[in-house]
């Protein structure tokens, strides 16, 4: 938008308006009000009447005889009579075009009781004068019953002689209406144009009703009047004006109202053109300078000042310019006014528009208008820009706040999830730093497609496990803990992370990292493809039955891992929740100890345990249950249960109708009665020699000893199982991998552990609390 262009347009519009303003012209002023009314040295007034030239009082004061006036001061107020006594009248008023005269011209017809009729006729004679009788300003009026008035007259020639009149009748039935003259008691009529004289006569109407109608008002007497006078000056009084007693009253009233309007010309029987042509001393052109000549209807001419001029147009030097710009009420301009001959110019100062006229638009602030428009424009622009900026800023702020809140929430989560503890540990032990990767929430969200349902591998009391793929393409299992409300559990989480970071064992599920920023802390483990041991042993629809060789290998792997945890690692670690569902099988069906799919709380719920003893019913060391003291031998007991599971293929809690619901007591009773063969898995019996599973059963028997002191250590167990494994020859039905022995030897060096249920002995306050809680005393 070009603002300069807009301004130019507005200012040019203003200029046009000013031009229009200059063309406006005011009406000329009446010559009677101006100073040069009369000839110098002549009497200006007669009483209240101002006498303008061409009228005048005294010699050389008027144009010609017809305009001469005698002011008779013997009257009070003085009266102005024409010098030439045309008729009986005097002059009441003089304007530029008309004079008002007072006459006594009346016609009457009266009839007395004897039937004698008296007449009176009215006459006006102004032939040869410059005056004509106005036929529009005057009216012929007749008052009376059963009369008609004849009104005859002419202009300045005999040929123009005309007659007119009206009849006034009275009716017995109808009363005349006051103020109305339709022919009932009163009639009115106009007269032809241009008369300079007339005669009025009244005549009686001889009709059948006549006598009666007269009798009604007047008995046999009547009086009628006819007169020609200014329209509206006499108001008919109705029936009262027709009664006998009122004749003289009515007459007197009429006489007072006998005023008549005459038009006047400077000269009749000529025209402006003729006068200008034959301009001579006998017939001079009388219009002075700055005047115009006007041809009149009456056949003469008059002079008038040009517009914008004032003065007497018949007197030298003529009309003079009106200075309209003289300050005062007559100044036509609201602001600037410039007078010019015959005209003036109203203008508006810079920055204003309009015609500048008081009678017109006046002056309106142009700058105000444009600037206000501009202001509105810029204001609107500013407001909308402001709103946009405000929105952007608000959006920006909200995102910052959101981001900050997220960051803050992350920090809060981090702290609550034990991040500070982890940091401490990391600071203390550099190996932790090396082993643990701290993942961001975004990374893990990307890995699991924002934790969608499809990716769930399993759900447990501790949380949900998702299958995920890291950006480098590694498949991982991501455990999302349940939202932690208990601060102690946060300690557990970090504790677990620290423990796992310290363990690097083939038969322990490897912790790759964790994420503490998330609301629920996240752990990232290597992905173990073949599910849990529990599933393979107990699921009746399992496609692939694990062989005795595999079972031995799993027992060996598990014993190795536990042995490692109990003795080999720098601080002894107890798994505390060894069970078949916590043992995962990799692609080669080697065991990986973990706690996936289980948790302390769920274990308690599922086992209907009344105390907060950790572990799973069926695997639980009875001594621990009684004393609340967990030792490495408690792990051994649980391991024994797993061995029995491997031997019998039964669940730790048997779902049978028999009395012995507990697998261990069931197993032990059969051991005592040497009825072991009855309970060994048929698959095992098929695949191996009796010696082998008897040795394993014996190990299990010792592990399940109620006296924990008589249980073997995991190291001892490991050695015995390894011995069996080394002696084991593949059975005819058995499919064995050729490299298994080599793998075994590798494994034998390793140790097992399981993540979340391991505790650092004497180092974890939470475990101490748990011990106290679990102590039945
Ligand atoms: C003025 O009027 C009176 C009464 O009509 C008359 O007698 C007198 O002569 C008049 N005077 C002049 C100067 O005409
Ligand atoms: C009017 O003027 C014409 C010529 O201009 C003349 O013949 C005529 O007589 C005049 N009439 C009267 C009444 O003066």
């Amino acid at each position: 938008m070009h603002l300069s262009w807009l301004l130019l347009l507005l200012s040019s519009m203003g200029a046009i308006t000013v031009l229009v303003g200059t063309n406006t012209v005011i009406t000329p002023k009446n010559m009677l009000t101006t100073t040069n009314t009369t000839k110098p040295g002549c009497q200006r007034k007669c009483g209240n009447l101002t006498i303008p030239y061409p009228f005048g009082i005294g010699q050389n004061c008027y144009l010609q005889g017809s305009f001469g006036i005698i002011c008779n001061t013997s009257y009070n107020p003085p009266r102005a009579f024409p010098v030439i006594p045309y008729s009986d009248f005097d002059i009441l008023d003089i304007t530029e075009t008309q004079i008002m005269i007072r006459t006594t011209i009346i016609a009457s017809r009266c009839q007395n009781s004897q039937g004698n009729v008296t007449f009176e006729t009215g006459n006006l004679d102004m032939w040869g004068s410059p005056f004509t009788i106005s036929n529009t300003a005057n009216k012929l009026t007749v008052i009376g019953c059963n009369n008609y008035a004849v009104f005859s007259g002419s202009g300045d020639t005999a040929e123009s002689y005309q007659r007119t009149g009206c009849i006034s009748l009275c009716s017995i039935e109808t009363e005349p209406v006051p103020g109305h003259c339709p022919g009932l008691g009163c009639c009115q009529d106009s007269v032809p144009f241009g008369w300079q004289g007339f005669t009025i006569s009244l005549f009686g109407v001889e009709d059948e009703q006549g006598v009666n109608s007269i009798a009604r008002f007047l008995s046999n007497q009547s009086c009628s009047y006819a007169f020609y006078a200014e329209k509206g000056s006499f108001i008919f009084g109705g029936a009262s004006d027709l009664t006998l007693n009122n004749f003289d009253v009515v007459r007197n009233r009429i006489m007072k109202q006998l005023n008549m309007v005459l038009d006047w010309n400077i000269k009749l029987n000529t025209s402006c053109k003729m006068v200008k042509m034959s301009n001579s001393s006998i017939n001079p052109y009388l219009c002075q300078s700055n005047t115009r000549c006007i041809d009149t209807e009456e056949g003469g001419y008059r002079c008038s000042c040009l517009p914008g001029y004032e003065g007497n147009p018949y007197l030298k030097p003529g009309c003079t310019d009106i200075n309209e710009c003289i300050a005062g009420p007559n100044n036509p301009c609201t602001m600037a006014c410039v007078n010019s001959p015959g005209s003036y110019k109203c203008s508006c100062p810079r920055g204003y528009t309009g015609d500048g006229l008081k009678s017109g638009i006046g002056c309106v602030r142009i700058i105000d208008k444009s600037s206000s428009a501009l202001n509105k424009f810029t204001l609107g622009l500013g407001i909308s820009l402001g709103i946009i900026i405000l929105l952007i800023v608000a959006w920006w702020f909200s995102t910052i706040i959101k981001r900050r809140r997220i960051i803050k929430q992350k920090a809060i989560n981090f702290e609550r999830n034990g991040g500070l503890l982890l940091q401490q540990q990391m600071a203390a032990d550099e190996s932790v730093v090396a082993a643990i990767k701290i993942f961001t929430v975004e990374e893990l969200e990307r890995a699991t497609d924002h934790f969608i349902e499809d990716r769930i591998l399993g759900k447990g009391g501790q949380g949900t496990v998702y299958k995920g793929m890291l950006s480098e393409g590694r498949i991982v299992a991501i455990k999302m803990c349940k939202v932690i409300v208990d601060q102690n559990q946060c300690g557990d989480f970090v504790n677990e992370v620290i423990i796992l970071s310290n363990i690097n064992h083939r038969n322990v599920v490897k912790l790759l990292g964790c994420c503490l920023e998330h609301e629920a802390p996240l752990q990232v483990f290597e992905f173990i493809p073949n599910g849990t041991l529990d599933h393979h042993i107990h699921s009746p629809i399992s496609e692939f039955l694990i062989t005795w060789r595999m079972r031995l290998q799993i027992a060996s792997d598990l014993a190795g891992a536990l042995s490692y945890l109990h003795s080999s690692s720098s601080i002894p670690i107890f798994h505390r929740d060894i069970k078949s569902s916590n043992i995962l099988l990799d692609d080669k069906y080697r065991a990986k100890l973990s706690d996936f799919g289980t948790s302390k709380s769920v274990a308690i719920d599922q086992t209907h345990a009344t105390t907060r003893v950790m572990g799973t019913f069926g695997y639980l060391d009875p001594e621990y249950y009684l004393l609340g003291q967990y030792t490495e031998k408690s792990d051994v007991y649980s391991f024994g249960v797993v061995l029995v599971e491997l031997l019998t293929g039964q669940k730790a809690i048997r779902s049978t109708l028999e009395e012995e619901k507990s697998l261990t007591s069931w197993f032990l009773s059969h051991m005592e009665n040497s009825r072991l063969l009855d309970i060994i898995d048929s698959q095992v019996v098929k695949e191996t020699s009796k010696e082998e599973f008897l040795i394993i059963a014996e190990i299990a028997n010792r592990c399940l000893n109620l006296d924990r002191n008589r249980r073997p250590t995991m190291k001892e167990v490991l050695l015995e199982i390894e011995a069996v494994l080394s002696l084991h020859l593949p059975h005819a039905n058995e499919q064995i991998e050729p490299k298994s022995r080599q793998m075994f030897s590798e494994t034998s060096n390793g140790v097992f552990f399981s993540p979340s249920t391991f505790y650092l002995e004497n180092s974890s306050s939470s475990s101490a609390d748990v011990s106290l809680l679990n102590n039945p005393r």
Side-chain angles (χ1 to χ4, degrees):
M1 185 75 182
H2 294 285
L3 296 180
S4 54
W5 179 83
L6 183 76
L7 280 169
L8 196 71
L9 182 75
L10 285 166
S11 57
S12 64
M13 279 164 70
I16 289 163
T17 321
V18 166
L19 279 172
V20 169
T22 55
N23 289 347
T24 313
V25 166
I26 58 161
T27 51
K29 289 185 178 177
N30 194 304
M31 67 175 184
L32 305 182
T33 63
T34 56
T35 46
N36 56 340
T37 310
T38 56
K39 267 192 163 179
C42 293
Q43 187 179 337
R44 192 177 148 82
K45 286 200 154 193
C46 177
N48 287 331
L49 177 68
T50 302
I51 297 161
Y53 191 82
F55 296 88
I57 299 163
Q59 209 100 59
N60 298 323
C61 282
Y62 48 87
L63 181 63
Q64 44 167 290
S66 305
F67 296 107
I69 283 170
I70 298 162
C71 190
N72 192 331
T73 51
S74 55
Y75 297 95
N76 187 26
R79 282 186 178 191
F81 293 95
V83 170
I84 299 169
Y86 300 102
S87 271
D88 181 21
F89 68 79
D90 64 317
I91 297 167
L92 299 177
D93 194 17
I94 301 168
T95 71
E96 262 189 288
T97 58
Q98 290 178 322
I99 59 170
M100 173 87 80
I101 58 170
R102 172 168 40 199
T103 71
T104 55
I105 303 159
I106 188 166
S108 64
R109 181 176 183 276
C110 292
Q111 184 181 328
N112 63 18
S113 50
Q114 281 79 46
N116 298 327
V117 177
T118 54
F119 294 96
E120 186 185 4
T121 305
N123 284 297
L124 178 65
D125 174 8
M126 298 187 298
W127 286 283
S129 78
F131 308 119
T132 57
I133 301 159
S134 171
N135 67 327
T136 52
N138 306 302
K139 265 234 141 74
L140 170 71
T141 306
V142 179
I143 290 171
C145 288
N146 299 356
N147 291 285
Y148 68 91
V150 175
F151 195 65
S152 54
S154 70
D156 58 352
T157 56
E159 296 86 64
S160 65
Y161 177 80
Q162 282 171 302
R163 290 209 297 184
T164 183
C166 73
I167 301 174
S168 174
L169 299 172
C170 290
S171 163
I172 296 166
E173 295 84 21
T174 315
E175 285 229 350
V177 182
H180 284 77
C181 295
L184 189 69
C186 169
C187 74
Q188 279 188 328
D189 198 6
S190 294
V191 298
F193 169 78
W195 282 6
Q196 288 195 299
F198 60 79
T199 304
I200 311 171
S201 310
L202 268 171
F203 302 96
V205 177
E206 306 296 332
D207 71 332
E208 291 165 14
Q209 273 199 331
V211 177
N212 289 336
S213 60
I214 292 165
R216 169 171 178 173
F217 294 103
L218 314 160
S219 55
N220 55 351
Q221 297 180 51
S222 73
C223 228
S224 300
Y225 304 101
F227 53 93
Y228 192 72
E230 191 187 7
K231 204 160 54 176
S233 59
F234 180 85
I235 309 289
F236 175 53
S240 67
D241 281 1
L242 305 175
T243 54
L244 185 64
N245 294 336
N246 282 342
F247 288 156
D248 287 341
V249 176
V250 172
R251 187 192 169 90
N252 286 340
R253 227 172 79 221
I254 291 168
M255 294 308 285
K256 278 182 193 164
Q257 309 287 343
L258 284 178
N259 300 335
M260 202 184 294
V261 177
L262 309 178
D263 297 314
W264 67 268
N265 293 258
I266 194 73
K267 199 169 172 68
L268 277 170
N269 194 26
T270 185
S271 68
C272 292
K273 200 177 165 186
M274 282 163 63
V275 172
K276 280 180 191 170
M277 270 166 52
S278 65
N279 190 4
S280 63
S281 57
I282 303 154
N283 187 21
Y285 176 60
L286 294 168
C287 298
Q288 305 299 318
S289 54
N290 298 322
T291 61
R292 54 181 178 166
C293 182
I294 297 163
D295 287 311
T296 62
E297 278 185 273
E298 297 85 31
Y301 77 95
R302 264 197 308 270
C303 304
S304 176
C305 285
L306 285 173
Y309 290 85
E310 64 182 356
N312 194 314
Y314 307 102
L315 279 174
K316 285 186 175 153
C319 297
T320 53
D321 175 51
I322 303 166
N323 186 359
E324 294 91 349
C325 295
I326 291 167
N330 290 330
N331 187 324
C333 302
T334 56
M335 296 182 102
C337 179
V338 177
N339 185 50
S340 61
S343 187
Y344 63 96
K345 185 170 154 185
C346 292
S347 59
C348 294
R350 215 189 152 92
Y352 286 81
T353 185
D355 54 13
L357 287 167
K358 281 176 182 171
S359 58
I361 299 160
C363 289
V364 184
R365 251 202 132 83
I366 185 171
I367 292 297
D368 265 8
K369 247 189 171 174
S370 63
S371 76
S372 78
L374 276 176
N375 279 348
K376 270 179 199 164
F377 177 73
T378 46
L379 193 73
L381 197 73
I383 285 172
S384 34
L385 266 178
I387 286 169
I388 289 166
I389 288 168
L390 214 69
L391 284 175
I392 289 171
V393 167
W395 172 81
W396 183 63
F397 260 108
S398 77
T399 49
I400 280 182
I401 286 167
K402 225 181 265 176
R403 209 172 293 163
R404 273 197 186 170
R405 195 180 296 156
I406 288 169
I407 288 168
K408 202 178 172 189
Q409 188 56 49
K410 277 180 178 177
I412 288 169
N413 288 339
F414 183 77
E415 197 173 325
R416 194 190 57 190
N417 293 335
L420 296 178
L421 192 63
L422 187 65
Q423 276 179 340
Q424 272 175 5
Q425 290 293 332
M426 280 175 147
D429 188 352
E430 281 179 12
S431 67
V432 178
V433 185
I436 296 289
K437 188 186 173 189
I438 304 294
F439 288 93
T440 64
V441 177
E442 291 75 21
E443 260 180 294
L444 298 185
E445 278 177 349
R446 235 178 293 133
T448 58
D449 258 344
H450 293 265
F451 301 104
I452 57 165
E453 292 264 325
D454 294 1
R455 298 295 189 91
I456 292 175
L457 288 171
K459 275 185 178 175
Q462 264 191 322
T464 309
V465 181
Y466 296 86
K467 187 177 180 177
M469 192 166 86
L470 297 181
S471 50
E472 72 257 27
R474 186 168 189 177
I475 309 262
V476 291
I478 297 165
K479 185 169 87 174
M480 186 194 281
C481 292
K482 278 193 169 172
V483 177
I484 285 169
V485 283
D486 181 3
Q487 203 64 35
N488 282 337
Q489 286 184 319
C490 299
D492 291 357
F493 181 86
V494 172
N495 190 49
E496 181 183 338
V497 169
I498 290 162
I499 289 165
L500 285 173
S501 72
N502 277 319
I503 294 165
N504 185 15
H505 192 274
R506 183 198 158 115
N507 298 111
V508 174
V509 171
K510 190 165 176 56
L511 177 76
L512 302 174
C514 67
C515 172
L516 299 172
E517 292 171 349
H518 196 260
E519 192 182 10
L522 298 158
Q523 289 167 321
V524 182
F525 292 98
E526 61 174 326
F527 178 69
I528 310 296
N530 270 330
T532 64
L533 174 64
D534 176 66
H535 174 79
H536 284 284
I537 296 175
H538 304 303
S539 176
I541 53 156
S542 182
E543 278 178 24
F544 176 65
L545 292 168
I546 54 170
T547 62
W548 173 245
R549 175 71 180 74
M550 286 173 174
R551 299 185 199 205
L552 276 181
Q553 185 64 63
I554 289 162
S556 169
D557 288 349
L558 187 56
L562 284 171
S563 175
Y564 169 82
L565 291 173
H566 289 174
S567 52
S568 299
S569 59
S570 50
I571 308 158
I573 296 164
F574 306 145
H575 187 285
R576 293 170 65 123
D577 196 16
I578 293 158
K579 54 182 176 182
S580 55
S581 60
N582 274 351
I583 296 156
L584 299 177
L585 299 179
D586 70 4
D587 51 347
K588 293 188 175 68
Y589 288 89
R590 299 291 296 266
K592 296 254 187 190
L593 188 54
S594 81
D595 74 333
F596 274 57
T598 182
S599 81
K600 285 162 268 180
S601 55
V602 165
I604 291 161
D605 288 343
Q606 285 172 351
T607 55
H608 310 287
T610 50
T611 58
R612 266 197 72 192
V613 170
M614 275 179 267
T616 307
F617 189 71
Y619 293 91
L620 209 57
D621 174 13
E623 217 170 358
Y624 164 56
Y625 184 76
L626 290 170
L627 305 174
Q629 238 180 356
Y630 201 94
T631 68
E632 63 169 50
K633 295 296 177 66
S634 304
D635 271 357
V636 173
Y637 183 91
S638 302
F639 175 79
V641 179
V642 173
L643 269 188
V644 175
E645 275 185 273
L646 286 169
L647 279 168
T648 63
Q650 299 287 322
K651 287 188 177 181
I653 304 295
R654 296 173 64 238
S655 52
T656 65
L657 294 172
E658 291 172 45
E659 264 182 55
E660 299 288 359
K661 282 215 166 185
S662 162
L663 177 64
T664 50
S665 49
W666 184 66
F667 169 76
L668 289 173
S669 69
H670 279 77
M671 278 294 280
E672 277 172 26
N673 301 330
S674 303
R675 283 167 48 223
L676 194 62
L677 217 60
D678 298 351
I679 61 166
I680 299 294
D681 190 350
S682 56
Q683 173 87 9
V684 172
V685 177
K686 261 191 277 172
E687 284 179 7
T688 187
S689 58
K690 194 180 175 186
E691 294 79 40
E692 269 186 35
F693 66 74
L694 274 178
I695 294 167
I696 300 299
E698 186 49 40
I699 295 168
N701 189 28
R702 279 192 289 139
C703 290
L704 295 172
N705 198 313
L706 289 174
D707 181 0
R708 55 169 63 154
N709 291 326
R710 293 176 66 184
R711 289 175 205 155
T713 63
M714 281 317 296
K715 187 109 193 158
E716 289 163 2
V717 171
L718 174 64
L719 289 172
E720 287 178 38
I721 294 173
E722 275 186 358
V724 175
L725 193 61
S726 64
L727 291 172
H728 173 75
L729 293 171
H731 195 268
N733 299 340
E734 198 174 352
Q735 302 157 342
I736 183 162
E737 288 168 276
K739 285 176 80 181
S740 62
R741 292 200 65 81
Q742 204 182 337
M743 286 161 72
F744 165 68
S745 62
E746 279 170 21
T747 319
S748 62
N749 298 333
V751 190
F752 259 96
F753 87 110
S754 169
S756 71
T757 38
F758 299 151
Y759 282 82
L760 292 169
E761 203 171 43
N762 303 328
S763 72
S764 165
S765 63
S766 63
S767 81
D769 293 342
V770 169
S771 300
L772 281 172
L773 275 168
N774 294 342
N775 198 331
R777 287 166 293 175

